[in-house]
Each structure stands twice: as structure tokens, then as C-alpha cells.
Amino acid sequence: MIKPGSLRFSKTGFFREIKNINRKNGVIKLDITLKRQNRVLTVYLKGELDHHAVSKVKETIDLQLVKMPVSQLILDMSAVTFMDSSGVGLIVGRFNKMKSLGGSMKIKNPGFSILKVLQMSGLSRLMEIS
Amino acid sequence: MQPINRMKIEFESKSVNESFARIVAAAFASQLDPTLEELADLKTAVSEAVTNAIIHGYEQKEGTIFMDCILYEDSITVIIEDHGVGIEDIEKARIPAFTSKPELERAGMGFSIMESFMDSLDIESQKGAGTKITMTKKFKKR
Ligand SMILES: Nc1ncnc2c1ncn2[C@@H]1O[C@H](COP(=O)(O)OP(=O)(O)OP(=O)(O)O)[C@@H](O)[C@H]1O
Ligand SMILES: [Mg+2]
């Protein structure tokens, strides 16, 4: 099991994940930054969202959801350079979780190739993508 | 058609090798000067097949994955093979949103993505023996 790295505070209200360098399992080429504003949690992802990286994202987000109430989860994908169906599974899982908590989820700023995977998987019909 | 170049690698069934495999395939394909979109499609399809070998074929345990890339004048054929558990019902496995591992938050979209991002997809599998995925991507004349 890959443990998410610890979170570091910054004055701007952002939390940045300290790079998870695990030579044994291989470095994860994905950075996570979180921002909380009232009950809105924004997750900024940077790098490659594949099966190797998803458990780290899943654990980081799910931990936030139990820590404090969240009514909206925003996934900012502007800096995601690669995503395959592992990312789709992660998004659907978080979408269902938010729904069961009575909240909502949306995706922001996916690049061209990411949007192609999201659309082909039918996610654009499930949630707002802008 | 005559192949103009060919390469073969084998690597361990480890999730860190998903990015390794797709980068290697894309680097080899770039000899044909494809567009960025064509390369992105190829990378995604390779990542799907390798991830399937790791998660389903070898059930996240040890194993060896084989990747064979053959270049033609205007296309690449990629063959990804595992000697894992195999697929019992290939027709069922190809259905969009079908997954045998919903508990792992799989979307069941891997084969659909390979099919739509590549120009051909062929699945050969035998229960208990393994799975061989053969897919071809054509590159537009530039
Ligand atoms: N290499 C393999 N070995 C054994 N079974 C496989 C293999 N590849 C695919 N399968 C079977 O085919 C099914 C469909 O595969 P597909 O990639 O479409 O979906 P998935 O892997 O379950 O989900 P996703 O790709 O969206 O994460 C899998 O759930 C699995 O049962
Ligand atoms: Mg798959």
C-alpha cells in the first residue's frame, strides 16, 4: 500500500503534498495540491494519472472527506499530462462518494487528450466538466 | 506490408512500468513522426493493456510482461502479452463498462479505449495460460 505523503500548510491556504519518493515501489509522477474554501475542496493534480498514481490520490482525497465536511469536490486537471481508465475509475469512485455524502463533484480545465478519455468514458454526461 | 523496424522488451509486472512501457512505445513510434494526438492515443492504449496485464493477468503479483513493437511505413503494431490467468469470456470482457474487479474502482473502459484510440484491436486469451493483445495504429501522411 502506498501511503500518501504528509501535507504542508502554506500562507495562501493551499496544502501541498510533499513528494512521495519511494524508491522501492518507484516514484509517483503526480503532485497533489489541495485548497479548502468553506465546504469546497479543490484538488489540483499535476502529472500522470495512471494506475500507479491513483491510490495516492484516492487516499489523499478520502482522508480530507472524513476530516471535515465537504459539499463540493472540484478536480482541477489543467496540469494533468496523461490519464487512462484508472483515472476514470478514480473519478467515478469519488463522484459516487460525494453523492452518498449529499454533495457534488465537478472537473475543471482538462487538456485535449484528457477530455477525450473523459468523453469516451461518458463522464461528461455524469458531471459538469468546464 | 514489410516491417521497417522492430523492437521487443520484457519487464516485471509492476505498476511503475506502466509509464515506462507507454513512453518506450511512443519513443519508438516517433521514428515515424506522428502527430502529438496520435502519440497520446498510442500511449493511452499501451497503458491500458499493460495495466490490465498487471491488475487482471497477474492479479498484482509477480510476472513478466512482453511488449513487441513493429513499425511499418505508416503504422505501428504493438503486441502486449502476459502469462497470467487469462480471460474466460472475451466477448463479455469487451463490453463497455464491464469489469470483473469493481471493488478496485475499475471503470471497465480499458478495451473500449484501446478499440477507439487504435485502428484495430485483437484479443487472444486462454484461461490459465495468458492473454495477448495485438493493436495497430495508423499514422496520417504528413
Ligand atoms: N490481461 C488480462 N488478463 C486477464 N483478464 C483480463 C486481462 N485484460 C482484461 N481482462 C478482463 O477483461 C475485463 C475488461 O477489461 P477492461 O480493461 O476493459 O476493464 P477493467 O480493466 O476491468 O477496467 P478499466 O480498464 O476501466 O480500469 C477485466 O475486468 C478483466 O476481467
Ligand atoms: Mg483495464
Side-chain angles (χ1 to χ4, degrees):
Chain A
M1 193 61 98
I2 304 151
K3 269 202 192 143
S6 48
L7 291 167
R8 189 183 279 156
F9 278 98
S10 78
K11 283 188 184 124
T12 52
F14 285 91
F15 306 80
R16 182 177 283 282
E17 256 244 337
I18 297 165
K19 263 228 170 69
N20 194 342
I21 297 174
N22 183 337
R23 287 229 163 98
K24 195 163 158 267
N25 295 320
V27 172
I28 296 168
K29 292 190 262 181
L30 185 86
D31 288 345
I32 309 166
T33 303
L34 305 172
K35 190 177 168 72
R36 251 178 194 285
Q37 251 166 346
N38 302 317
R39 291 187 168 212
V40 179
L41 173 67
T42 308
V43 179
Y44 298 84
L45 300 178
K46 186 181 173 209
E48 302 183 0
L49 189 54
D50 62 4
H51 164 240
H52 186 60
V54 287
S55 48
K56 171 180 157 174
V57 185
K58 180 182 166 186
E59 284 170 31
T60 305
I61 294 176
D62 289 0
L63 185 68
Q64 290 299 310
L65 297 183
V66 297
K67 268 191 183 164
M68 269 182 277
V70 174
S71 61
Q72 188 172 48
L73 175 64
I74 300 172
L75 204 58
D76 189 309
M77 306 194 75
S78 54
V80 175
T81 53
F82 176 87
M83 187 185 83
D84 60 19
S85 67
S86 299
V88 175
L90 171 92
I91 293 168
V92 173
R94 304 292 74 58
F95 175 84
N96 289 335
K97 189 150 201 169
M98 285 308 296
K99 216 166 113 185
S100 74
L101 293 170
S104 64
M105 177 177 177
K106 60 181 182 185
I107 296 172
K108 272 193 173 165
N109 309 319
F112 180 78
S113 63
I114 311 299
L115 189 62
K116 206 167 153 182
V117 175
L118 293 172
Q119 279 172 340
M120 130 113 259
S121 313
L123 287 193
S124 41
R125 272 173 274 131
L126 202 63
M127 67 190 87
E128 187 188 323
I129 302 178
S130 58
Chain B
M1 224 198 295
Q2 280 299 311
I4 56 171
N5 201 355
R6 181 171 188 150
M7 73 97 175
K8 253 180 169 177
I9 55 169
E10 57 175 79
F11 49 89
E12 283 182 38
S13 170
K14 291 185 170 166
S15 64
V16 70
N17 286 332
E18 291 153 7
S19 82
F20 170 72
R22 63 180 180 255
I23 288 167
V24 165
F28 193 60
S30 47
Q31 294 177 7
L32 298 180
D33 194 29
T35 64
L36 284 180
E37 188 182 355
E38 288 166 339
L39 271 188
D41 290 351
L42 175 70
K43 272 191 191 172
T44 311
V46 167
S47 193
E48 295 295 349
V50 171
T51 303
N52 278 352
I54 294 170
I55 297 178
H56 305 294
Y58 293 120
E59 302 183 296
Q60 321 217 48
K61 295 184 201 94
E62 272 169 44
T64 304
I65 298 167
F66 304 84
M67 183 167 82
D68 195 348
C69 297
I70 307 145
L71 285 189
Y72 299 91
E73 221 166 287
D74 57 1
S75 67
I76 183 169
T77 296
V78 183
I79 302 164
I80 290 160
E81 199 174 339
D82 67 68
H83 298 163
V85 300
I87 305 172
E88 205 169 351
D89 186 343
I90 296 176
E91 285 308 305
K92 196 166 146 195
R94 286 183 91 129
I95 297 171
F98 170 81
T99 179
S100 56
K101 295 207 173 352
E103 72 282 3
L104 294 182
E105 291 194 340
R106 307 313 305 177
M109 290 309 297
F111 282 139
S112 307
I113 287 175
M114 287 181 243
E115 199 156 4
S116 90
F117 285 23
M118 301 292 278
D119 291 290
S120 75
L121 167 70
D122 180 61
I123 307 166
E124 284 170 68
S125 191
Q126 213 184 336
K127 202 172 178 256
T131 301
K132 183 177 171 183
I133 304 297
T134 304
M135 44 195 183
T136 295
K137 175 94 185 154
K138 283 189 199 131
F139 299 129
K140 283 185 204 79
K141 285 246 151 47
R142 292 223 269 168

